[in-house]
Amino acid sequence: MKQQQATSTRPDRPSPGGLDDFGDVIDVEQAEAALVEHYPRLVRLAYLVLPAGRSRSRRVLAAHGVVQRTLPRQRAAHGLGLPSQRAGAEAVIDPGYAFVRLRVLRAALAAGRARRLPTPPPLLPQVWGLRLFPRAGGADELALDQALSALTAPARAAFVLRDLERLSAPEARRVLEAAGVAHPREALEEAEQAETPAGSRDRSLLESPEFDPCALQARPTDLIRRRQHGRAVLAAGVAVLVCGALLGLPGDGWGPDGAAAPPYARNPAAEAALDPGKLTVTSATAWKTTARQDFAAWPARGDRVHDRALLRRALAVWARPGAGVQVSATPGTPAGPAAGPAQLLFAGVVDHAVVVIFHDGLRVVRYAEAADGEGQADGTGAALDFARTDGAAADSASALVAGRTQGNVRYLTAPWVTSARQVDLLKPDAAGQPVPIDASGLTGPVPMPQAADTCTGWPALRMGGRLLTDLGELTPARLTYGSPRRPGEVRSRQARTAWARTACQLATVRGQGVRTVNSWKFAEQPLPGAAGSAAWLCTRAETWRGAGSRTTAQIQAPAPSGQPYATGSVVARADGGTACGPRSPKALAGVLWKSPAGTWWLLAAGSEQVTSITATGGVRGQAPGRLLSLPAKAGDRAELAGRLANGRTVEALR
């Protein structure tokens, strides 16, 4: 059972306390989980501690390299033996995060002692032809960066620990000592005496985009020098091709009679898939009379649908993406070539890219290249994204992601979508604002959801009654509310309030190929001591591939004063299975809860099918019906079992 406070709030960034007591051993999986969850914060920390170097681009790459190489090689890493420290009265810092943060500090400080940035490893991936750097800030950000550059590496680390991580002076000193700083007191004094602009001591500047190595801008390197080198390489390549052709004739080799025929030369279906003249193009009005409104009913739109050179290039890259093409696919989606001619959905310019979107009946494929033509000749810089969409219907074929840039996303809407409105899920009482849709079906820019540790808003798009949100896929996820067998739209105040207290948990299913996410209130329970009532919700994310669903149970206790839509507390998680889904629309969950009076209780609740609940283990008791409240002690662990009306049992989500 999980242990929750009476005044649970939205999960925030890692606790700002000092290094926790790791115990004897830190498991690699625990450190890896902390690294993944707090990756943006760790990279920001490394970026601030690293020396300025010759360019911000190298500093960005070095910061990512430092964080990505922090995991230990062995299965477990010994704790550091430092005393535990707490933030406030109850919250204890995650030992996995403290362990990874310390390794990041050590690596960044080592680079400072060497007076140079760490050299990235010679292996791929590497960035060619681009300079990546954070967004430019104002005069205050520049002044703070210059002030930090003037400090020694230990002083920069002390500054970051005090003013970004919010450690006290003794806590920061202990972390610096563990990181290998010889004179931590002097480092803290130097950091304290640094002349910094206003705002740098309350995180507002340290947390600005100027110091965020995960929100980057891209610019080309020296184009003139690259063009000169490119001409030389092209001339050498032509010479190699000519020599190869001469050596390959008339003997065996690359030809119709050779051992290795050109790709697809003898496969009519594959040849047809490469011909832009054989692409399927649906008429602009077909969706009005079709029996099924899905992606097959979408017409071809965009100002480049007749650009045969672009379409041929996109089809060729799809069939055989080169080494310079960035290929991504949602889990469970094959990234191979088309089996035959595909359907064209869109071809046009989206912000600074030329985008082509295809549909082959099972997948949506998005090809993108730079709008200025850079890299078109050899495919360098192009991107190819795959997403599974089999079985899509009108409710899940309303929009596709056409492009993402500068923290915004543009959608390509279905032809039957006539209006769109941007809403913030964390503000259920706000009406939102209209989003324009142009003649090609492209929306205006819509903000992307923020990282989990900075969840102050969650943008979503309302198209008619449907509510969609971006989870990092080509297909936005549809949000619903209600019974698993008959979920409805998020329209009522109850539904909007429930999602306001659930939205920040969507970050855990980002990038998992999610199709729909349904939230369902399965019980409401009066809290002991007249502390109000709590709602029990089950949230289930379904994927396009069927497998890989994720279910969470949460309790939404009365929100703290001034935070009416604070995120509920997750008490159980389950990957896969049928819990809270249409095949098994029942739920049982429990939590160890501390009342405002300071007493502990075991709370449990089940859905309507549950007729009694039994607790065993550290807390024992039974209650008829689907609600249970038993006195408990802090740290107690209990096993829950529910009985259904038909005599069968149901186990609690864990």
Side-chain angles (χ1 to χ4, degrees):
M1 305 304 304
K2 290 196 176 179
Q3 189 168 298
Q4 300 293 338
Q5 299 298 319
T7 56
S8 59
T9 58
R10 178 182 306 122
D12 201 355
R13 68 190 72 243
S15 172
L19 196 62
D20 195 8
D21 184 2
F22 298 145
D24 294 330
V25 170
I26 291 294
D27 190 81
V28 170
E29 293 182 357
Q30 185 180 6
E32 183 180 25
L35 186 145
V36 172
E37 181 179 359
H38 304 297
Y39 183 83
R41 187 169 184 83
L42 291 167
V43 177
R44 185 189 292 266
L45 186 149
Y47 182 83
L48 288 166
V49 175
L50 284 170
R54 291 180 294 177
S55 69
R56 289 196 299 166
S57 178
R58 289 193 59 195
R59 188 175 166 196
V60 163
L61 297 178
H64 283 274
V66 163
V67 175
Q68 292 179 16
R69 294 194 292 271
T70 54
L71 290 180
R73 298 179 180 272
Q74 61 270 26
R75 292 296 301 165
H78 290 285
L80 302 180
L82 294 183
S84 64
Q85 299 164 5
R86 296 175 178 265
E90 299 292 342
V92 181
I93 188 172
D94 174 15
Y97 173 74
F99 176 74
V100 176
R101 180 181 66 185
L102 183 59
R103 290 177 65 92
V104 169
L105 277 177
R106 284 176 175 170
L109 288 169
R113 287 191 294 270
R115 297 184 177 272
R116 60 181 178 84
L117 293 177
T119 303
L123 302 177
L124 293 178
Q126 294 189 26
V127 179
W128 296 94
L130 288 178
R131 292 183 296 111
L132 302 175
F133 48 86
R135 302 173 189 173
D140 289 342
E141 286 86 348
L142 178 60
L144 177 58
D145 193 35
Q146 292 175 342
L148 291 176
S149 299
L151 298 177
T152 61
R156 281 196 301 272
F159 190 98
V160 172
L161 290 174
R162 286 288 305 273
D163 296 288
L164 181 65
E165 295 289 295
R166 287 301 190 190
L167 303 190
S168 65
E171 293 168 346
R173 186 170 64 252
R174 281 191 285 268
V175 175
L176 290 172
E177 289 174 350
V181 175
H183 305 288
R185 292 181 183 276
E186 288 79 351
L188 285 166
E189 292 176 359
E190 183 182 352
E192 189 66 30
Q193 296 172 1
E195 296 182 2
T196 57
S200 57
R201 298 291 181 177
D202 61 1
R203 291 195 196 171
S204 60
L205 289 184
L206 288 174
E207 293 185 342
S208 68
E210 169 82 11
F211 305 111
D212 185 0
C214 291
L216 303 174
Q217 291 180 324
R219 292 292 185 271
T221 54
D222 191 332
L223 292 175
I224 297 178
R225 181 176 298 176
R226 283 171 53 191
R227 186 176 296 276
Q228 293 172 346
H229 292 173
R231 289 172 179 169
V233 171
L234 179 62
V238 170
V240 170
L241 289 176
V242 171
C243 293
L246 292 175
L247 292 173
L249 294 175
D252 294 340
W254 190 274
D257 299 324
Y264 313 113
R266 296 180 181 178
N267 188 329
E271 285 183 339
L274 292 171
D275 186 356
K278 294 185 178 181
L279 286 169
T280 300
V281 177
T282 304
S283 69
T285 58
W287 65 272
K288 298 180 180 179
T289 58
T290 185
R292 177 186 173 90
Q293 288 186 337
D294 57 10
F295 292 116
W298 282 32
R301 290 170 290 175
D303 56 0
R304 303 286 290 274
V305 294
H306 301 296
D307 188 339
R308 293 178 66 87
L310 168 65
L311 299 179
R312 188 180 299 278
R313 188 162 59 247
L315 290 170
V317 172
W318 178 5
R320 287 180 60 101
V325 178
Q326 301 177 20
V327 180
S328 68
T330 59
T333 304
Q343 178 187 357
L344 178 63
L345 301 183
F346 178 83
V349 177
V350 181
D351 293 324
H352 305 295
V354 178
V355 174
V356 183
I357 300 178
F358 302 105
H359 178 243
D360 68 353
L362 298 177
R363 303 169 295 176
V364 166
V365 183
R366 176 183 177 272
Y367 168 84
E369 64 183 26
D372 60 5
E374 272 298 313
Q376 289 183 10
D378 57 1
T380 302
L384 197 62
D385 304 308
F386 297 85
R388 187 170 173 175
T389 58
D390 49 316
D395 58 353
S396 52
S398 298
L400 292 171
V401 171
R404 293 186 180 90
T405 181
Q406 295 183 346
N408 294 316
V409 58
R410 289 184 186 269
Y411 296 96
L412 178 66
T413 61
W416 51 84
V417 173
T418 58
S419 64
R421 181 174 291 273
Q422 175 193 332
V423 297
D424 186 346
L425 296 182
L426 271 58
K427 299 177 181 177
D429 301 322
Q433 56 187 8
V435 176
I437 302 176
D438 65 17
S440 298
L442 284 176
T443 69
V446 177
M448 291 188 294
Q450 302 171 354
D453 58 350
T454 56
C455 186
T456 58
W458 195 282
L461 203 62
R462 190 176 290 280
M463 296 183 176
R466 300 184 182 100
L467 188 63
L468 308 174
T469 190
D470 177 30
L471 292 182
E473 315 283 353
L474 281 179
T475 53
R478 181 189 175 206
L479 306 182
T480 57
Y481 181 83
S483 171
R485 285 184 175 167
R486 300 192 64 180
E489 305 298 345
V490 186
R491 289 179 175 174
S492 67
R493 173 160 184 84
Q494 182 186 42
R496 288 184 281 113
T497 300
W499 265 112
R501 304 190 67 181
T502 305
C504 289
Q505 298 167 8
L506 288 170
T508 61
V509 294
R510 184 180 275 138
Q512 299 301 310
V514 173
R515 178 175 185 167
T516 60
V517 187
N518 182 58
S519 195
W520 168 44
K521 177 182 173 182
F522 64 87
E524 185 163 353
Q525 182 175 27
L527 295 174
S533 62
W536 290 86
L537 279 80
C538 199
T539 303
R540 182 178 174 92
E542 299 282 1
T543 67
W544 284 94
R545 62 191 183 278
S549 62
R550 179 168 295 181
T551 304
T552 60
Q554 61 170 306
I555 182 172
Q556 294 182 351
S561 176
Q563 302 181 48
Y565 305 117
T567 298
S569 300
V570 174
V571 300
R573 305 177 192 271
D575 291 330
T578 60
C580 291
R583 293 181 56 192
S584 182
K586 52 184 177 291
L588 174 64
V591 67
L592 203 61
W593 176 80
K594 186 178 181 182
S595 72
T599 58
W600 287 94
W601 295 81
L602 172 64
L603 304 180
S607 53
E608 292 180 353
Q609 304 93 326
V610 178
T611 59
S612 67
I613 302 176
T614 302
T616 58
V619 183
R620 292 180 174 271
Q622 185 177 14
R626 57 195 186 108
L627 301 176
L628 177 143
S629 300
L630 294 174
K633 300 188 297 294
D636 280 347
R637 301 181 65 86
E639 299 292 331
L640 296 174
R643 184 167 294 276
L644 305 178
N646 60 9
R648 296 182 178 179
T649 59
V650 58
E651 293 184 356
L653 286 170
R654 299 177 181 274

